[in-house]
């Protein structure tokens, strides 16, 4: 199956085990984890031993993918307006590209002092998908070079030619 054709709300399949092991290695007992933009629940399924909370902007995904069963708490809402102050580790898998540069910058500023893992596709144009306007990519020009210019506080954890995982710690 071609990642760039019909896989929304899924994410790039490569490096997932590496990323899961990395997250396991940096979390502590006291961490509170928030999966931002749950989609189909990729990170809850990848890390079932971690009590994770989620926020999803597109309510139909909650029932379609049984998200309420995958997360300790599931919030339906927009991360741009959500109070995530109680969380210490934030996962943003395939969310950043759905924000404008200004929205992403603002969100990173609000996330200061928290550990964040961000996953993005590179050079990926996308409009609404199955009627979900939130699937639109407002930063379709992302590449490793663009990420380092726009978001210098993020470091590439692992990636390939079509996808990258970044952390701020």
């Amino acid at each position: 199956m071609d990642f760039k054709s019909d896989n929304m709300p899924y994410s790039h399949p490569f490096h997932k085990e590496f990323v899961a092991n990395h997250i396991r290695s940096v979390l502590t007992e006291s961490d509170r984890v928030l999966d931002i933009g749950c989609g189909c629940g990729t990170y809850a399924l990848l890390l079932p031993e971690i009590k994770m909370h989620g926020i999803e902007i597109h309510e139909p995904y909650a029932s379609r993918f049984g998200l309420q069963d995958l997360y300790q708490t599931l919030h339906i809402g927009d991360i741009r307006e959500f109070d995530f102050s109680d969380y210490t580790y934030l996962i943003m898998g395939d969310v950043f590209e759905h924000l404008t540069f200004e929205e992403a910058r603002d969100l990173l500023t609000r996330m200061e002092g928290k550990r964040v893992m961000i996953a993005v596709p590179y050079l990926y144009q996308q409009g609404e998908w199955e009627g979900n306007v939130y699937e639109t990519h407002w930063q379709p020009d992302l590449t490793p070079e663009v990420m380092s210019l726009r978001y210098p506080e993020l470091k590439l954890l692992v990636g390939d030619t079509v996808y990258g995982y970044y952390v701020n710690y």
Side-chain angles (χ1 to χ4, degrees):
M1 185 181 285
D2 179 12
F3 167 65
K4 292 191 175 188
S5 63
D6 59 359
N7 283 345
M8 295 302 104
Y10 306 96
S11 64
H12 190 312
F14 301 123
H15 308 296
K16 288 290 193 257
E17 202 55 42
F18 175 90
V19 169
N21 287 332
H22 169 78
I23 291 171
R24 285 182 190 106
S25 76
V26 299
L27 289 182
T28 67
E29 294 270 331
S30 63
D31 276 320
R32 289 191 39 132
V33 180
L34 179 65
D35 182 4
I36 300 166
C38 306
C40 66
T42 297
Y43 293 95
L45 293 167
L46 196 59
L47 299 156
E49 73 278 12
I50 296 172
K51 288 183 177 19
M52 198 177 296
H53 299 247
I55 180 169
E56 173 56 51
I57 196 168
H58 189 59
E59 193 280 328
Y61 287 169
S63 55
R64 179 176 176 184
F65 298 108
L67 297 179
Q68 44 289 64
D69 296 330
L70 296 177
Y71 294 91
Q72 195 171 26
T73 304
L74 177 67
H75 306 277
I76 302 299
D78 187 333
I79 192 59
R80 294 169 294 189
E81 301 165 0
F82 186 75
D83 177 11
F84 48 80
S85 59
D86 287 343
Y87 297 95
T88 57
Y89 194 90
L90 308 171
I91 299 171
M92 292 183 68
D94 292 86
V95 173
F96 230 50
E97 66 276 13
H98 300 281
L99 303 171
T100 66
F101 166 70
E102 293 79 14
E103 291 168 334
R105 276 273 24 117
D106 180 59
L107 200 52
L108 275 179
T109 299
R110 288 181 48 218
M111 292 176 169
E112 231 170 76
K114 304 205 178 286
R115 288 170 296 142
V116 183
M117 192 281 299
I118 295 173
V120 297
Y122 298 139
L123 299 176
Y124 191 0
Q125 293 276 344
Q126 179 175 290
E128 81 175 47
W129 188 79
E130 290 187 349
N132 181 358
V133 298
Y134 300 112
E135 289 288 358
T136 302
H137 287 192
W138 295 107
Q139 294 187 84
D141 61 339
L142 296 177
T143 63
E145 297 77 22
V146 169
M147 286 293 290
S148 86
L149 286 172
R150 288 185 190 162
Y151 312 106
E153 65 271 44
L154 298 177
K155 298 178 259 330
L156 181 64
L157 177 65
V158 65
D160 55 37
T161 59
V162 296
Y163 203 78
Y165 296 87
Y166 293 82
V167 294
N168 70 344
Y169 51 89

